[in-house]
């Protein structure tokens, strides 16, 4: 172990003094005996703080915060953690469709090939991936709700419990939610000590021995400066003041603490802003397999008979089961079943159906968080700070604790509450409800008539559009009106339905890609819309898309309703040559 210390009155600074370093050091003020005593003293202090730090990490990570955990409720991490599948690789930098949908297409092949894509335990992230090249910088990516932060908590929990699979003396964990509050120059030392004051006595030793240090930066996509981290002005010393983005950018690129290990987690939407040239290993979180979904049900309900019965209910619904690979979505499904002990009414056929049941299950009466969800979605924001005027207006609203996840971001002179929806899709659903039941016009970004080449949102609003269509369907409108008292404008519903008919007819005649329109049609679950569509020719173009099970369902629904009137079916680039 390397130690660092400064002896009062000496003319030299002693760094990297090994416990076994007994040779005489020339100095005016210290004898060799004093150096040996200093080494023993520093080692004891270092070891003591090392164990204290582990104890603190263990305590901080021993409870699992579900999205609407009641105040004071303690859910033990060890009893509820379910294994996640981690594989080498990452989602492509170019995203054409909504990230949840895009990854859903890849998930099954990843899990089926998990023998080829070797499963990685969190403990193995910094083992040598290929050959003898050391792994110092790791980027872990995964879609919203897939379990990135839970994986970080697992690493901290195990490290704190001395399940020492990681060859580090110290782990420093930083959340970008907290780092967003820093609006003045800082340095790395200050960043570490903000939540780790107990390390102040040995921080020099830790930084001097940086090859035994792991720094975890969680939630890169939530960092308000994430587009600026590929810096060209570097910080090289831990005490050097700079803007927080320059400190973190220097750390990622190895200019600051070059021997330290760094793990960065992010949603795919932000990874093209990571300085990937310095990344030694890319890891993708593939979520749950079928066995893990069942395990999640058993741990959530804490009753094997009930868990098995409700898992069987979900297994019978292909759509729900397909989406349960995302842990956060699996949790949403469990919330529905916990309140109803079954699926109320008809079994859900579309994503909107599932979220309507989620809304109905958790709140008997409410106007919702729609305005906040809608405004922030249009601004590409998923984090809301208590200083935000829109958030402050919700003070006292019972829905906040029901549907929003609250964390506390802390600075030495500032403490602020940070909110986010239980999952990105929950925010999209609430935004769609708001858009459907108010007089707010549809924003330009929702215009379906834009051709694929003209679309600029990279699929960002794909699910929002589907939810909007499903909510404006007669069956869900009636349910939400009856259960929650939400008022719909019939004129708006009729206008929207006519638009679907008109645009589908035009796209079918022109042979344009209609996959997103087919999903909106599928959410309506109204055969009369297809019957009302009377194009001269029906050309179905779903080319250049990797089709998921949900895509197949939407296409099959349309083809069955057209009853063989298809003039052309373009499957180019989908991997299918015929349709059965």
């Amino acid at each position: 172990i390397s130690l660092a210390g400064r002896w009062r009155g000496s003319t030299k600074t002693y760094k990297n003094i090994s416990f076994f370093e007994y040779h005489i050091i020339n100095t005016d003020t210290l004898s060799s005996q004093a150096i040996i005593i200093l080494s023993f003293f520093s080692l004891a202090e270092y070891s003591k703080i090392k164990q204290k730090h582990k104890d603190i990490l263990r305590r901080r990570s021993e409870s699992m915060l579900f999205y609407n955990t009641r105040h004071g409720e303690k859910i033990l991490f060890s009893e509820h953690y379910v294994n996640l599948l981690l594989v080498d690789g990452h989602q492509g930098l170019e995203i054409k469709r909504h990230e949840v949908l895009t990854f859903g297409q890849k998930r099954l092949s990843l899990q089926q090939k998990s023998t080829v894509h070797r499963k990685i335990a969190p403990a193995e992230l910094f083992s040598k991936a290929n050959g003898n090249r050391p792994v110092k910088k790791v980027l872990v990516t995964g879609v919203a709700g897939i379990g990135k932060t839970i994986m970080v908590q697992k690493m901290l929990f195990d490290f704190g419990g001395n399940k020492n699979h990681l060859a580090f003396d110290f782990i420093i964990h930083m959340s970008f939610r907290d780092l967003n509050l820093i609006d003045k120059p800082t340095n790395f030392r200050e960043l570490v000590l903000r939540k780790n004051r107990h390390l102040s006595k040995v921080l020099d030793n830790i930084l001097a021995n940086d090859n035994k240090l792991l720094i975890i930066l969680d939630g890169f996509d939530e960092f308000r400066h994430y587009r600026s981290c590929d810096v060209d002005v570097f910080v090289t010393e831990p005490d050097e003041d700079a803007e927080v983005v320059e400190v973190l950018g220097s750390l990622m690129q190895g200019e600051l603490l070059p021997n330290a290990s760094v793990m960065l987690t992010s949603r795919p939407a932000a990874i093209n802003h990571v300085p990937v040239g310095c990344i030694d290993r890319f890891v993708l979180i593939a979520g749950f397999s079928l066995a893990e979904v069942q395990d999640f049900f058993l741990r959530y309900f804490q009753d094997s008979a009930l868990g098995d019965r409700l898992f069987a209910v979900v297994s019978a619904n292909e759509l729900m089961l397909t989406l349960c690979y995302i842990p956060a979505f699996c949790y949403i499904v469990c919330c529905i079943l916990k309140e109803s002990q079954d699926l109320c009414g008809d079994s859900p056929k579309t994503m909107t159906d599932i979220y309507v049941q989620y809304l109905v299950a958790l709140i008997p009466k409410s106007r919702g968080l729609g305005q906040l969800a809608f405004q922030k979605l249009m601004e590409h924001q998923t984090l809301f700070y208590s200083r935000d005027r829109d958030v402050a207006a919700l003070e006292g609203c019972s829905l906040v604790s029901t549907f929003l996840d609250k964390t506390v971001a802390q600075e030495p002179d500032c403490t602020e509450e940070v909110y986010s929806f239980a999952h990105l899709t929950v925010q999209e659903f609430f935004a769609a409800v708001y858009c459907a039941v108010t007089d707010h016009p549809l924003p330009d970004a929702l215009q379906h008539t834009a051709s694929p080449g003209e679309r600029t949102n990279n699929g960002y609003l794909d699910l929002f559009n589907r939810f909007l269509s499903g909510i404006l369907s007669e069956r869900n409108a009636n349910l939400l009106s009856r259960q929650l008292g939400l008022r719909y404008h019939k004129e708006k519903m009729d206008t929207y339905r006519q638009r679907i008919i008109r645009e589908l007819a035009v796209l079918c005649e022109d042979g344009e890609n209609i996959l997103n329109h087919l999903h909106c049609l599928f959410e309506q679950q109204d055969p009369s819309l297809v019957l009302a569509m009377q194009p001269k020719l029906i050309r179905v173009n779903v080319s250049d898309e990797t089709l998921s099970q949900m895509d197949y369902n939407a296409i099959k629904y349309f083809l069955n309703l057209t009853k063989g009137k298809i003039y052309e079916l373009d499957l180019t680039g989908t991997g299918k040559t015929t349709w059965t």
Side-chain angles (χ1 to χ4, degrees):
I1 297 173
S2 295
L3 306 169
R6 187 183 295 272
W7 191 264
R8 189 180 302 276
S10 69
T11 58
K12 295 182 179 180
T13 298
Y14 293 87
K15 289 194 174 182
N16 300 323
I17 303 175
S18 169
F19 171 69
F20 298 104
E21 194 172 357
Y22 292 100
H23 59 274
I24 295 177
I25 300 177
N26 294 324
T27 176
D28 298 333
T29 58
L30 292 180
S31 66
S32 59
Q33 184 178 10
I35 294 297
I36 295 173
I37 293 172
L38 174 61
S39 297
F40 273 102
F41 172 79
S42 299
L43 176 66
E45 184 71 13
Y46 186 89
S47 299
K48 180 181 177 181
I49 298 297
K50 177 179 171 182
Q51 186 56 52
K52 181 178 181 179
H53 183 62
K54 287 189 173 187
D55 293 341
I56 289 173
L57 290 182
R58 180 78 170 190
R59 187 170 66 252
R60 287 175 180 173
S61 57
E62 66 183 1
S63 296
M64 176 175 280
L65 275 179
F66 279 139
Y67 302 105
N68 59 347
T69 305
R70 295 175 180 86
H71 180 69
E73 185 177 3
K74 192 172 184 178
I75 300 173
L76 293 180
F77 185 82
S78 58
E79 294 179 2
H80 287 269
Y81 175 78
V82 176
N83 286 328
L84 295 161
L85 175 61
L86 278 65
V87 297
D88 282 309
H90 63 83
Q91 195 163 325
L93 296 180
E94 184 182 0
I95 300 173
K96 298 180 181 178
R97 298 181 67 188
H98 191 288
E99 63 178 52
V100 173
L101 304 177
T102 303
F103 186 69
Q105 298 157 5
K106 299 175 64 175
R107 175 189 59 91
L108 287 177
S109 61
L110 275 174
Q111 293 186 341
Q112 290 165 358
K113 296 176 182 178
S114 60
T115 53
V116 178
H117 293 81
R118 187 180 65 84
K119 293 182 182 179
I120 306 167
E124 302 170 337
L125 287 173
F126 289 89
S127 60
K128 295 176 180 177
N130 296 304
N132 296 319
R133 184 184 177 188
V135 175
K136 287 291 185 183
K137 306 292 191 296
V138 174
L139 173 61
V140 178
T141 60
V143 300
I146 199 73
K148 299 179 293 295
T149 297
I150 291 295
M151 186 206 73
V152 169
Q153 186 175 353
K154 170 68 172 172
M155 293 175 68
L156 298 176
F157 181 78
D158 285 350
F159 183 76
N162 284 317
K163 294 180 180 177
N164 202 356
H165 36 264
L166 296 167
F168 301 105
D169 285 351
F170 288 87
I171 297 180
I172 302 298
H173 170 231
M174 297 182 188
S175 164
F176 282 101
R177 292 190 179 195
D178 290 341
L179 296 171
N180 279 339
L181 295 179
I182 301 174
D183 55 7
K184 57 185 179 182
T186 186
N187 57 62
F188 185 75
R189 181 185 297 276
E190 289 179 355
L191 292 180
V192 172
L193 294 179
R194 283 168 61 247
K195 289 192 174 181
N196 300 283
R197 291 289 173 189
H198 57 281
L199 298 181
S200 57
K201 291 182 180 179
V202 295
L203 189 54
D204 281 340
N205 307 49
I206 295 171
L207 299 180
N209 200 32
D210 58 348
N211 66 313
K212 303 293 286 184
L213 172 64
L214 168 61
I215 302 157
I216 298 177
L217 303 174
D218 187 29
F220 177 74
D221 54 282
E222 297 177 337
F223 187 34
R224 59 191 176 111
H225 303 296
Y226 75 83
R227 292 181 176 88
S228 308
C229 279
D230 198 355
V231 297
D232 53 13
V233 177
F234 297 112
V235 172
T236 58
E237 296 296 331
D239 295 307
E240 186 178 345
D241 285 347
E243 297 299 327
V244 65
V245 67
E246 294 173 347
V247 175
L248 296 176
S250 300
L251 183 66
M252 291 180 206
Q253 297 188 55
E255 298 292 335
L256 175 63
L257 300 176
N259 297 316
S261 297
V262 178
M263 186 178 88
L264 189 69
T265 72
S266 178
R267 281 173 48 204
I271 62 175
N272 59 334
H273 295 286
V274 174
V276 293
C278 61
I279 302 297
D280 301 311
R281 187 175 203 170
F282 295 87
V283 175
L284 183 67
I285 301 183
F288 288 158
S289 66
L290 188 62
E292 271 76 47
V293 172
Q294 185 171 17
D295 188 18
F296 187 96
F297 270 65
L298 295 177
R299 290 173 182 267
Y300 180 91
F301 291 104
Q302 297 287 292
D303 179 325
S304 58
L306 179 62
D308 283 336
R309 183 176 74 79
L310 296 179
F311 175 73
V313 170
V314 171
S315 297
N317 186 295
E318 183 181 57
L319 173 63
M320 294 183 82
L321 189 63
T322 299
L323 291 170
C324 275
Y325 79 90
I326 299 179
F329 189 86
C330 204
Y331 169 78
I332 289 171
V333 171
C334 286
C335 280
I336 296 171
L337 296 173
K338 182 180 180 181
E339 297 300 322
S340 62
Q341 295 291 293
D342 212 327
L343 296 172
C344 58
D346 295 334
S347 182
K349 296 178 182 177
T350 71
M351 283 193 71
T352 308
D353 294 353
I354 295 170
Y355 279 77
V356 165
Q357 291 212 11
Y358 178 50
L359 187 65
V360 170
L362 291 186
I363 48 172
K365 275 199 173 184
S366 171
R367 294 184 60 189
L369 296 167
Q371 185 173 359
L372 176 69
F374 181 79
Q375 290 177 349
K376 298 304 182 184
L377 183 68
M378 295 303 136
E379 296 169 4
H380 288 236
Q381 291 183 24
T382 58
L383 292 183
F384 329 120
Y385 289 81
S386 54
R387 63 187 172 206
D388 191 312
R389 194 169 47 186
D390 296 325
V391 175
L394 293 171
E395 186 175 357
C397 175
S398 62
L399 288 180
V400 170
S401 61
T402 303
F403 290 104
L404 293 184
D405 173 24
K406 181 177 77 172
T407 56
V408 177
Q410 292 180 321
E411 274 291 297
D413 55 351
C414 174
T415 298
E416 187 161 3
E417 294 174 342
V418 186
Y419 298 90
S420 62
F421 280 89
H423 188 247
L424 172 62
T425 54
V426 177
Q427 181 178 349
E428 292 167 313
F429 175 75
F430 271 100
V433 171
Y434 172 79
C435 198
V437 302
T438 66
D439 292 327
H440 197 290
L442 299 180
D444 292 340
L446 302 183
Q447 295 300 321
H448 292 284
T449 50
S451 67
E454 295 170 339
R455 293 173 64 193
T456 59
N457 60 53
N458 295 324
Y460 185 71
L461 295 173
D462 286 352
L463 278 180
F464 172 85
N465 276 314
R466 296 187 196 182
F467 284 138
L468 183 62
S469 185
I471 292 165
L472 289 173
S473 68
E474 288 188 0
R475 59 202 191 88
N476 280 320
N478 291 336
L479 177 62
L480 288 173
S481 178
R482 185 173 64 252
Q483 296 281 354
L484 303 179
L486 294 177
R487 291 185 177 182
Y488 283 77
H489 301 283
K490 190 175 187 307
E491 183 181 344
K492 192 170 192 175
M493 291 176 61
D494 291 341
T495 300
Y496 184 85
R497 287 158 59 85
Q498 289 300 316
R499 195 172 91 174
I500 290 180
I501 294 171
R502 183 177 65 254
E503 292 180 3
L504 261 176
V506 171
L507 292 173
C508 283
E509 286 186 359
D510 294 345
E512 298 288 344
N513 192 295
I514 63 170
L515 186 56
N516 279 325
H517 281 70
L518 293 186
H519 277 291
C520 291
L521 180 70
F522 182 72
E523 292 289 338
Q524 286 272 330
Q525 288 291 300
D526 185 351
S528 68
L529 296 182
V530 177
L531 298 176
M533 186 185 76
Q534 298 177 347
K536 296 177 182 178
L537 291 174
I538 299 181
R539 295 187 174 98
V540 179
N541 179 359
V542 292
S543 62
D544 298 323
E545 302 278 7
T546 303
L547 300 179
S548 68
Q549 186 59 51
M550 286 191 289
D551 295 330
Y552 287 125
N553 292 345
I555 296 168
K556 183 179 178 181
Y557 175 78
F558 180 68
L559 295 181
N560 287 342
L561 290 175
T562 54
K563 297 180 179 178
K565 297 178 182 178
I566 304 297
Y567 174 76
E568 180 180 279
L569 177 59
D570 189 349
L571 298 171
T572 306
T574 64
K576 290 185 71 72
T577 55
T578 59
W579 189 272
T580 55

